[in-house]
Amino acid sequence: MSPALPDGEVPPLDGSLPESVAGWRGGSDGTEDAAARTFGVYLHVPFCTVRCGYCDFNTYTATELGGPGEQGGGASQDGYADAALAEVALAGRVLAGAGLPARPVSTVFVGGGTPTVLPAADLGRMLAGVRDTWGLTVDAEVTTEANPDSVTPGSLAELAAAGFSRVSFGMQSAVPHVLATLERTHDPLRVPEVVRWAQDVGLRVSLDLIYGTPGESLADWRASVEAALATGVDHVSAYALVVEQGTRMAVQVRRGELELPSGDDQAAKYELADELFAAAGLGWYEVSNWARTPQDACRHNLAYWRGGDWWGIGPGAHSHVGGVRWWNVKHPRAYAARLAAGQSPAAGREVLDAEAAQLERVMLGVRLSEGLAVAALSPTGRQAVGALVADGLLDGRAAVGADGPRRALLTRRGRLLADAVVRSLSD
């Protein structure tokens, strides 16, 4: 079961934005106007062939949506691209009337769910709709997520021909018993094969890993990291497993069928991964992400962390433009019905005040390897920097400005305790 949507004010039926978006200043230091902020598009595809036991994302299998005769419109995989394109058209109208400067899209990210359960032609049509509405920058980054068992050499070639430049595969683990606990269906031996297929058609490749699965040993985790690196990819994401309430795995843990690892176990696995990635030439640029060069980093996600603007298309998708954040209705059927009626699918929204915007700048900015300008902190936050350096959580040279302006930059130990660091800098 995916998490409930947040509370917020009721947005207008036409999706129009308040006048404040035109004058809002954001970015990582709160000084960027709309012309300086990047604009990205997220396209959510809410379908999977099966639901993994740990997943609480807003995704649906065919069984959960009912039989083919009951789905209809955007609630079915067959009709989904048309529903998403209807929201793209609505977004184009809303932004054109919001007093914002025209900006081409610099990043597109298709996530899910498993986007590649849709035909590559549908994903290409959705991308074409974005391109036709706003245009794409010359160097636009266009990513789709995929499962290793949801692509073929032909489908990847079709995606590349449609304008995709990058694919992120959900590898999660290279160890069969760990994949079984996660209820992942792909053969781990397929991962190097699909990476090669993608690279052969010119797509850049990222692999997603999960550590801290019940029953995963440190040796298991080492094997997964080494298997990912052996593919030669230039980007890896590694996330600690979080067991959310309402998932099948949470029930298994509650019944004593699975035992969660300790915090020390997860910390040891993070440190091991960081060491192995560094030895292979991949440096961290965000707490859970490593890239071979700055050009290999995921620019779409960096735009989130740096306070850019983006429009989220699809059921349950979240958006942020000019200090206004909103989220769509969750169910594909309700989403499609709103758009068919000529209405915005937005379920709620909030206008960020100065305090909320500052908290987000600290919470997101401190997670990056570039750190956060000390000058952007509140007086209380600036006073906390010294104690955090003394505790080994922030880098001392960066904090005193030895190589440039003073910055709050996490050490490896600080990355393990990033939430605590954020609390100290936000008080």
Side-chain angles (χ1 to χ4, degrees):
M1 179 182 297
S2 56
L5 290 172
D7 295 327
E9 66 181 52
V10 177
L13 290 178
D14 63 0
S16 57
L17 297 172
E19 293 181 358
S20 61
V21 298
W24 190 76
R25 291 186 173 272
S28 57
D29 60 0
T31 63
E32 293 181 337
D33 61 17
R37 293 193 304 274
T38 58
F39 176 51
V41 173
Y42 172 76
L43 293 158
H44 185 64
V45 176
F47 307 114
C48 283
T49 54
V50 298
R51 176 179 286 278
C52 300
Y54 66 93
C55 178
D56 75 331
F57 294 163
N58 190 41
T59 64
Y60 304 84
T61 65
T63 301
E64 290 170 330
L65 286 174
E70 301 174 23
Q71 293 178 19
S76 70
Q77 293 182 22
D78 289 345
Y80 183 71
D82 290 329
L85 287 169
E87 189 182 359
V88 170
L90 178 142
R93 294 192 299 271
V94 169
L95 292 181
L100 294 164
R103 291 172 291 173
V105 172
S106 56
T107 63
V108 180
F109 195 102
V110 187
T114 307
T116 43
V117 301
L118 294 184
D122 280 359
L123 299 180
R125 277 206 302 131
M126 291 159 66
L127 175 58
V130 172
R131 184 188 297 113
D132 292 346
T133 301
W134 294 288
L136 299 177
T137 60
V138 174
D139 62 343
E141 174 193 88
V142 184
T143 304
T144 185
E145 293 181 330
N147 283 346
D149 54 4
S150 67
V151 297
T152 65
S155 68
L156 290 167
E158 194 172 348
L159 289 171
F164 283 82
S165 61
R166 188 172 178 274
V167 60
S168 178
F169 287 116
M171 175 180 172
Q172 316 311 5
S173 175
V175 180
H177 79 84
V178 176
L179 289 172
T181 300
L182 292 171
E183 300 183 50
R184 301 292 290 185
T185 58
H186 69 269
D187 181 344
L189 297 179
R190 187 176 171 86
V191 172
E193 187 174 40
V194 299
V195 169
R196 186 177 68 255
W197 293 345
Q199 292 172 335
D200 284 347
V201 297
L203 293 169
R204 294 161 51 213
V205 182
S206 175
L207 294 176
D208 280 2
L209 297 173
I210 290 177
Y211 61 91
T213 300
E216 178 190 60
S217 68
L218 191 62
D220 290 334
W221 175 237
R222 176 185 286 273
S224 294
V225 174
E226 291 178 342
L229 291 171
T231 66
V233 296
D234 296 319
H235 188 283
V236 181
S237 301
Y239 302 103
L241 178 66
V242 177
V243 179
E244 302 288 356
Q245 293 302 310
T247 61
R248 282 200 304 275
M249 184 171 281
V251 174
Q252 291 174 300
V253 170
R254 189 167 62 248
R255 290 174 176 170
E257 298 166 5
L258 294 175
E259 183 178 354
L260 293 177
S262 66
D264 288 344
D265 177 86
Q266 290 202 333
K269 288 172 179 170
Y270 181 90
E271 291 173 336
L272 174 62
D274 192 48
E275 291 169 2
L276 294 174
F277 291 144
L282 276 70
W284 77 282
Y285 68 94
E286 190 274 339
V287 169
S288 300
N289 290 272
W290 291 259
R292 194 169 303 279
T293 70
Q295 290 70 39
D296 296 312
C298 179
R299 287 164 45 206
H300 186 83
N301 287 341
L302 279 170
Y304 292 158
W305 297 318
R306 290 173 175 164
D309 288 346
W310 75 91
W311 193 297
I313 304 291
H318 287 234
S319 303
H320 168 263
V321 174
V324 180
R325 191 179 309 284
W326 68 94
W327 44 92
N328 287 347
V329 293
K330 288 176 55 177
H331 200 280
R333 191 173 293 110
Y335 171 77
R338 291 275 193 101
L339 289 162
Q343 299 175 359
S344 165
R349 77 179 186 188
E350 61 177 336
V351 179
L352 301 179
D353 59 21
E355 183 178 354
Q358 172 65 10
L359 175 60
E360 289 204 0
R361 277 193 287 271
V362 174
M363 182 174 62
L364 299 175
V366 80
R367 295 179 63 87
L368 298 174
S369 63
E370 63 201 43
L372 183 69
V374 171
L377 297 171
S378 67
T380 304
R382 291 195 291 271
Q383 291 176 2
V385 169
L388 292 169
V389 170
D391 289 340
L393 302 179
L394 291 181
D395 180 88
R397 284 183 58 84
V400 299
D403 302 307
R406 298 177 62 204
R407 304 195 72 79
L409 173 61
L410 295 173
T411 61
R412 179 187 287 170
R413 181 167 180 265
R415 281 182 264 160
L416 294 170
L417 299 169
D419 290 345
V421 174
V422 168
R423 286 194 294 271
S424 295
L425 295 178
S426 302
D427 287 343

